[in-house]
Amino acid sequence: MSFSDTDDASTKDVLQPHTPPPASAMEPYMAFTTIPRAAPGSTCCGISNLLHNDHTTLLVTSATKVADGLTATAFVAYTIKVGDNEVKRRYSEFESLRKVLCRIYPTLIVPPIPEKHSISNYANIQNKSKEDAAMVEKRKRMLQKFLNRLAKHEILSYEHVFHRFLETGVSWTELMHSAPISTLPKNALNATLTASSSSASLVRQGVEQPSSPSASSQSSPGPAGSSGHHGGIPPEILREPNPRFIDSEVFTQKFSNQLSGSMDRSQKKVVRKLGEIANDNSDLGATLNGFSLNESECVPLANAIEKVGQAVDSSFMATTALMQALEINVNEPMQEYVQYASIIKAILKFRHQKHIQSESTADQLEAKRSSLENLERMETEAKRIGEALNRDRTGSTASNSGTNNHNTSAPPARSETATINDDNHSISEEGTFTNEPENIHSNENGDEAADFNPYARTPATKPAGSTDSNGQVDTTANPYAQLPPANPYAHAHSPPSSAVKRRSTRLNVFSALSHTLHGIIDVDPEATRRNNIGKTRDAIVQLEDQLETTNSDLDKISRAVQGDLDRFQLQKTKDLRDILLAYAKAHQKWCQKNLGSWQEAKDNVEQIPV
């Protein structure tokens, strides 16, 4: 596949078929997409058939100023011709196409489009930017190169979104808001990658490709600064950086610095000097032609001066042609490769972020496992302490039971009909609370005070209000039977209803506050601990699945990025060869044209009689 646009006009825009490498050096070229896509190698529409036809041309034929009917603003529309089909697209639509392709294929080096004006340049030209013929022509050339690179790509040439971009009558705005573009994930790092392999292969020229770059990074991570990192992605962020991708980052940074630094400055200086020489030659040629008219008396001298002036004019035209050739065939490709360096940095950064994601997930998993070990250790310790307390409680209960059995044989110290409360008040057999103190003195015979307690009821005592044999109420059995209740002040000291309500309100508030505090304070540490153990185990299972998926994606991304870097290296080598050939041919033509004109001038000068 030719990636050069510097060939002859008859063949430079013909989409050449892919030339497969030798079978002994073939290795599948893989890419991964954020949404399911059709497998490369099968045509899906008429545009796809045209793009993969050996004799189809893809050209940007013209750039015309068009007025927008809705906003009444003007824009430049570029006419694209694929075979016999024509479609007009504006610059912003080319830009959105490239962004969509980058989102679908995050591991592919999508070709760049010409850059927008810088803020300073746009401030200088403002509304005249759309009328700048040189800028429009440059964009037209570079947009045509962009489309041809897509059409020649082993995977992107089969992307149906690209085909729709080239179809006549397709509204790009509507296409941007419909599937599959509308279903693209916002962050490619969280997307599920789908394999997409091309029908062609890559030639690994003396480079041994490991089966798993992730494995190679783990086997030989190397120190963070071992590769002499200068700028770009700092490898210190990763615990186990892949030295191969660090070297790629370092090489890309150096490549970008060389192209955008000294080489770009030197080339622009040469072009500027050539422009000054061309302008000086133009002035000099006009002067010599006028001077030849003053020497009309000596015809050979006048002819010689005129030929020298024509040779200077020829040098002016040749120098102008040289400047144009250097701009188109050298400066523009160099600017394109400066953009390629930024694209490669972005892809390496994407892989770097996936590697960080993998290590971060591994760190979280390790932290959760450590937390689970601590929780299980706490649970084991709590169980051990609980079992020890249960053993002590069981022994104490057995000891108390033996003591109680020993005390049952001794006579009771109190009456069986009454129990003594802690505040020296007695409770009757029926549970009636009395205000009589417990320490009622015994009689002279030394009997218990309970025998003379009129409230105490013994089996020998008649119940209150009982009748005798004559039917009269026996008041001698209980001389206090007609007395008021035991606590005549019970009703006098009962609080009013409002005080009861206030106390009830306070109790309700206290209950609500207590419930809230119980929700905050761990009132059941054992249940909380077991709940935390269950949650931690679930989190570990999820993190293990996430780590497995992330490591798998990292391995896929690493292989896909390395495969596209190898493909790009082949493209870059051929493009740089074409750039150098174009540079040499431009100077050769310049020298040949100058040589012919100056040889003719020399012959005329030699004919001047002396």
Side-chain angles (χ1 to χ4, degrees):
M1 166 71 59
S2 173
F3 292 92
S4 173
D5 288 331
T6 60
D7 299 333
D8 295 337
S10 60
T11 60
K12 77 174 189 176
D13 291 310
V14 176
L15 303 180
Q16 302 293 336
H18 301 291
T19 302
S24 59
M26 293 179 65
E27 183 173 331
Y29 172 41
M30 301 292 293
F32 293 91
T33 61
T34 55
I35 55 176
R37 309 305 295 150
S42 58
T43 57
C44 58
C45 59
I47 296 295
S48 180
N49 291 329
L50 287 174
L51 291 178
H52 296 90
N53 191 334
D54 296 348
H55 303 287
T56 300
T57 57
L58 178 55
L59 303 171
V60 177
T61 57
S62 63
T64 56
K65 191 174 181 181
V66 179
D68 191 346
L70 297 177
T71 60
T73 57
F75 62 90
V76 177
Y78 299 90
T79 303
I80 307 170
K81 185 175 182 181
V82 185
D84 296 331
N85 295 336
E86 285 189 357
V87 62
K88 291 185 177 181
R89 300 293 183 193
R90 58 190 302 178
Y91 175 83
S92 59
E93 293 175 340
F94 281 91
E95 187 179 23
S96 61
L97 169 64
R98 189 187 176 280
K99 289 181 179 179
V100 167
L101 294 178
C102 290
R103 292 175 63 189
I104 297 176
Y105 300 92
T107 61
L108 289 185
I109 303 173
V110 180
I113 61 174
E115 294 180 336
K116 292 183 177 180
H117 289 290
S118 63
I119 297 178
S120 59
N121 291 339
Y122 191 80
N124 292 331
I125 58 177
Q126 291 184 351
N127 295 332
K128 296 182 180 179
S129 61
K130 298 180 177 64
E131 300 175 0
D132 188 351
M135 185 273 296
V136 172
E137 285 297 319
K138 178 180 178 180
R139 277 191 174 181
K140 188 179 76 170
R141 291 191 301 269
M142 298 193 74
L143 290 175
Q144 176 175 309
K145 181 176 290 187
F146 166 71
L147 294 177
N148 276 278
R149 288 194 185 278
L150 292 180
K152 298 170 186 177
H153 198 280
E154 300 172 359
I155 292 178
L156 297 178
S157 60
Y158 292 96
E159 174 55 49
H160 191 56
V161 174
F162 174 48
H163 304 158
R164 298 282 288 170
F165 182 82
L166 300 176
E167 284 185 8
T168 305
V170 174
S171 173
W172 185 251
T173 304
E174 295 179 1
L175 187 64
M176 288 291 293
H177 294 86
S178 60
I181 299 177
S182 61
T183 62
L184 288 173
K186 294 182 179 180
N187 189 353
L189 289 173
N190 299 328
T192 302
L193 300 181
T194 305
S196 177
S197 61
S198 70
S199 57
S201 304
L202 288 178
V203 182
R204 312 300 188 201
Q205 297 180 345
V207 178
E208 184 179 357
Q209 173 74 11
S211 59
S212 174
S214 298
S216 66
S217 67
Q218 296 174 0
S219 61
S220 58
S226 61
S227 57
H229 182 77
H230 301 285
I233 302 172
E236 295 82 11
I237 297 178
L238 297 174
R239 292 194 306 272
E240 297 180 349
N242 191 324
R244 183 166 188 174
F245 289 106
I246 294 177
D247 293 340
S248 298
E249 173 67 22
V250 172
F251 176 79
T252 303
Q253 185 66 34
K254 290 181 179 179
F255 180 75
S256 175
N257 293 338
Q258 290 172 349
L259 291 183
S260 61
S262 57
M263 185 175 294
D264 183 63
R265 290 194 300 268
S266 300
Q267 183 63 20
K268 287 182 178 179
K269 186 183 294 184
V270 168
V271 173
R272 185 173 65 252
K273 294 294 184 181
L274 288 175
E276 294 175 357
I277 293 174
N279 293 331
D280 294 340
N281 283 335
S282 177
D283 296 340
L284 179 59
T287 301
L288 289 175
N289 289 331
F291 181 65
S292 65
L293 298 177
N294 295 331
E295 300 294 334
S296 58
E297 296 178 358
C298 181
V299 176
L301 179 60
N303 290 337
I305 295 175
E306 184 180 6
K307 287 297 182 181
V308 171
Q310 291 176 356
V312 172
D313 289 337
S314 178
S315 295
F316 158 70
M317 292 185 291
T319 303
T320 303
L322 175 63
M323 291 172 54
Q324 293 176 351
L326 292 179
E327 177 66 23
I328 296 174
N329 299 325
V330 178
N331 289 355
E332 289 179 5
M334 289 297 181
Q335 294 172 6
E336 183 186 22
Y337 269 90
V338 172
Q339 292 179 273
Y340 265 122
S342 300
I343 296 170
I344 293 174
K345 289 179 186 178
I347 293 177
L348 292 175
K349 183 179 179 181
F350 171 71
R351 186 215 161 268
H352 185 84
Q353 290 174 338
K354 178 59 73 171
H355 199 163
I356 292 177
Q357 189 181 48
S358 175
E359 291 192 352
S360 176
T361 305
D363 292 341
Q364 293 179 14
L365 178 60
E366 185 64 25
K368 287 294 182 182
R369 286 173 175 171
S370 177
S371 177
L372 180 62
E373 291 179 0
N374 293 334
L375 291 174
E376 290 178 343
R377 190 182 304 111
M378 293 171 60
E379 179 69 14
T380 303
E381 186 69 16
K383 288 182 178 180
R384 186 183 65 80
I385 294 174
E387 291 175 356
L389 292 176
N390 289 334
R391 286 195 300 269
D392 293 343
R393 190 178 297 110
T394 302
S396 176
T397 303
S399 176
N400 293 336
S401 177
T403 303
N404 293 334
N405 294 333
H406 175 73
N407 293 332
T408 53
S409 60
R414 301 181 182 180
S415 174
E416 296 178 358
T417 61
T419 59
I420 306 302
N421 199 6
D422 293 336
D423 55 355
N424 294 330
H425 292 79
S426 62
I427 302 175
S428 66
E429 183 181 7
E430 296 178 356
T432 304
F433 179 78
T434 65
N435 290 327
E436 289 297 328
E438 177 190 11
N439 54 353
I440 299 176
H441 298 288
S442 60
N443 57 8
E444 296 176 354
N445 298 329
D447 295 335
E448 293 294 335
D451 298 336
F452 299 94
N453 188 355
Y455 296 98
R457 295 182 179 179
T458 60
T461 304
K462 294 182 180 180
S466 61
T467 57
D468 56 8
S469 58
N470 298 324
Q472 299 294 325
V473 177
D474 186 5
T475 58
T476 61
N478 187 2
Y480 299 99
Q482 302 301 322
L483 293 177
N487 189 4
Y489 300 99
H491 298 287
H493 293 283
S494 60
S497 60
S498 60
V500 173
K501 291 182 179 179
R502 285 196 298 271
R503 186 180 301 119
S504 176
T505 303
R506 295 192 193 98
L507 291 176
N508 291 337
V509 173
F510 178 77
S511 299
L513 181 61
S514 176
H515 179 74
T516 304
L517 291 175
H518 286 176
I520 299 175
I521 302 173
D522 190 2
V523 296
D524 192 355
E526 182 178 359
T528 302
R529 189 168 54 250
R530 291 177 180 177
N531 188 25
N532 290 336
I533 290 175
K535 290 181 179 180
T536 304
R537 286 174 177 170
D538 294 340
I540 288 175
V541 172
Q542 294 178 358
L543 286 173
E544 287 176 345
D545 295 339
Q546 182 179 350
L547 180 62
E548 182 180 359
T549 303
T550 305
N551 288 338
S552 176
D553 287 346
L554 176 61
D555 181 73
K556 294 175 183 178
I557 291 172
S558 299
R559 288 188 284 115
V561 169
Q562 188 59 59
D564 207 32
L565 287 175
D566 292 342
R567 179 201 63 80
F568 175 77
Q569 180 64 24
L570 298 178
Q571 170 191 316
K572 185 192 72 174
T573 302
K574 190 176 186 308
D575 284 350
L576 291 178
R577 173 181 176 273
D578 293 339
I579 291 172
L580 295 176
L581 286 176
Y583 193 86
K585 288 180 180 179
H587 282 83
Q588 182 183 10
K589 290 181 181 179
W590 178 72
C591 294
Q592 288 175 348
K593 192 170 185 179
N594 284 329
L595 180 62
S597 59
W598 284 105
Q599 185 65 43
E600 186 177 354
K602 174 179 172 292
D603 294 340
N604 280 271
V605 171
E606 290 177 347
Q607 293 177 3
I608 298 175
V610 178

